[in-house]
Amino acid sequence: MNAEPVVRQKYVWDPITKLTRNYQKKINATYREIDEHVRTGRADKVTTPNYAREVIAPLAKALSDALPEYAVTVKDSVEVIGTGAYFLLCLGEIPLGGLSYPGPKMAQINFTIFAHQKPWGRSIAVTKLKQLTKLLTELADFTGLGGTNENQDE
C-alpha cells in the first residue's frame, strides 16, 4: 500500500502577514550585518530594506486586485501629517486613510482613517488583507465613494 503523506498547512499566509514578516526578517539581517561591521571594523555599505518597496507596493497591488471596482491606490511616498507619517490610501483621488509602519517585531500594518484629509481617531492594527478590504468597502460605502451603488436604480 502506497500512501502519500498529506501536507497540512498550519497557518495560511495572508499577504499582510507575509509581507510584514519578510520585512522584519530583512531588518533583523540588517542589524546582524551592522553588528558584524562594528565587530570587525569593516566600513562597507550596509544594505537596508525599503518599507515602501517591500511592504506598501505589494500591498497596494493586492488591494487593487481585491477591490478592482474601487480604484484603490496607495502613494509610495510618505506624507507627514501632524505627528504621524502615512502612505496615503486613496479611492480615486480622495484620500480615505493612511497606512503606517507599526514598529519593530509587529506582523501588522496600521491603518488610520482620514476625515477632511487629516488623521481621525486612533490607528487600527490590520493583520489580514480581508480585514483591510472589509474596512475599505465599509468606508467607501459610508462616504459615498463605493464602486457600485445599489440605490441608483431606484
Side-chain angles (χ1 to χ4, degrees), residues 19 23 26 48-59 76 87:
L19 292 169
Y23 180 76
K26 289 179 181 184
T48 57
N50 182 320
Y51 192 73
R53 191 177 27 231
E54 305 280 337
V55 179
I56 298 298
L59 181 58
D76 60 353
F87 295 93

Side-chain angles (χ1 to χ4, degrees), residues 51-122:
Y51 192 73
R53 191 177 27 231
E54 305 280 337
V55 179
I56 298 298
L59 181 58
K61 172 78 170 105
L63 279 172
S64 66
D65 289 347
L67 301 169
E69 67 274 12
Y70 288 97
V72 176
T73 57
V74 180
K75 308 274 183 183
D76 60 353
S77 60
V78 174
E79 295 279 334
V80 177
I81 303 170
T83 58
Y86 305 96
F87 295 93
L88 296 183
L89 191 146
C90 303
L91 292 185
E93 293 294 318
I94 300 169
L96 196 62
L99 301 173
S100 58
Y101 179 65
K105 299 184 182 173
M106 304 292 281
Q108 69 187 38
I109 192 161
N110 289 344
F111 176 74
T112 304
I113 297 170
F114 280 17
H116 304 290
Q117 300 182 359
K118 294 190 176 165
W120 182 76
R122 292 186 177 181

